[in-house]
């Protein structure tokens, strides 16, 4: 599984729930991609790192595109 997020508050809550599910189910999260959306991509990466620290997780995080493709 790969998760793509724009790192808003709702996405961070979903990541916490997902982390709990992954740990309980034995599923594998290959990584989290961060894209521009509700926040700048740099802020999204920081938000995801904070969520991982809270959860005690260490999934790979990849910074993605920093602008909208369609304008």
């Amino acid at each position: 599984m790969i998760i793509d997020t724009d790192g808003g508050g709702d996405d961070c809550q979903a990541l916490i729930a997902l982390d709990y599910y992954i740990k309980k189910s034995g599923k594998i999260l290959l990584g989290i991609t961060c894209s521009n959306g509700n926040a700048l991509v740099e802020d999204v990466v920081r938000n995801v790192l904070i969520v991982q620290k809270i959860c005690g997780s260490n999934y790979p995080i990849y910074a993605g595109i920093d602008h909208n493709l369609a304008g």
Side-chain angles (χ1 to χ4, degrees):
M1 177 177 357
I2 297 173
I3 301 297
D4 183 56
T5 181
D6 65 1
D10 56 337
D11 289 18
C12 290
Q13 290 177 354
L15 287 173
I16 292 169
L18 178 67
D19 179 72
Y20 177 80
Y21 169 75
I22 289 170
K23 289 176 179 171
K24 294 294 181 187
S25 69
K27 302 285 184 187
I28 298 172
L29 180 60
L30 298 174
I32 302 170
T33 60
C34 300
S35 56
N36 190 46
N38 290 340
L40 299 174
V41 72
E42 297 85 9
D43 295 332
V44 175
V45 170
R46 187 186 70 238
N47 291 348
V48 172
L49 285 168
I50 291 168
V51 168
Q52 286 204 82
K53 185 174 182 178
I54 290 168
C55 293
S57 301
N58 192 27
Y59 306 114
I61 299 173
Y62 303 96
I65 195 161
D66 63 355
H67 61 280
N68 296 330
L69 291 176

